[in-house]
Amino acid sequence: MAWSKRGIPLISSIVALTIFPAQGRDLDGRFRSSPLHEWFEQLASHKGLCCSYADGHAVEDVDWEAKDGHYRVRLPKDVGSKDMIWVDVPDDAVITEPNRAGRTMVWPIYNDFYRDISIRCFMPGSMT
């Protein structure tokens, strides 16, 4: 009986996330008039849509690298932290379509319950 009372909020949360997909992260509408707005809204990796679940961030060339066909990126250790750490980009998070934004971008997800940073999407730039 005790498990069922604790399990109900968890199951309810999972059902709600499945039935009501997350809205895009442009909450204040400042990017709505951008010519790339629609492209960003449909941008996805094998993990799913990028902009619907996390904020994308432009990454400087010194903060990402490619080695042996894999990527890694330097990100803040926690939200708002100045401490930076290198994070391996999962292969299924790499966006394979052409980069219309021109800059390297990453969509990290920070989770209060799981200390590791999850990368939803990663779009390599030109490294020039």
Side-chain angles (χ1 to χ4, degrees):
M1 186 70 163
W3 180 88
S4 63
K5 287 183 180 180
R6 284 186 280 156
I8 290 173
L10 175 63
I11 293 170
S12 298
S13 297
I14 292 169
V15 170
L17 288 173
T18 304
I19 295 173
F20 306 109
Q23 299 299 308
R25 297 291 295 198
D26 185 17
L27 301 176
D28 60 4
R30 67 182 139 159
F31 300 112
R32 192 163 292 139
S33 62
S34 167
L36 295 178
H37 178 77
E38 293 301 319
W39 178 73
F40 272 113
E41 287 297 309
Q42 61 81 36
L43 198 58
S45 69
H46 288 288
K47 291 185 167 205
L49 291 172
C50 301
C51 291
S52 294
Y53 295 98
D55 290 325
H57 302 279
V59 179
E60 298 296 325
D61 287 344
V62 298
D63 290 328
W64 73 282
E65 63 185 19
K67 185 176 181 182
D68 299 325
H70 301 282
Y71 298 99
R72 70 182 196 148
V73 63
R74 209 164 70 105
L75 295 169
K77 187 175 181 176
D78 294 301
V79 174
S81 175
K82 296 201 184 288
D83 293 331
M84 304 290 278
I85 59 171
W86 284 98
V87 178
D88 292 324
V89 175
D91 291 339
D92 60 349
V94 177
I95 298 170
T96 56
E97 73 176 79
N99 183 340
R100 291 177 57 189
R103 299 201 53 192
T104 302
M105 294 193 70
V106 64
W107 285 259
I109 298 176
Y110 294 89
N111 188 329
D112 292 336
F113 302 108
Y114 185 66
R115 295 299 301 164
D116 290 341
I117 301 168
S118 174
I119 297 179
R120 178 106 180 145
C121 298
F122 176 79
M123 185 170 49
S126 61
M127 255 190 154
T128 58

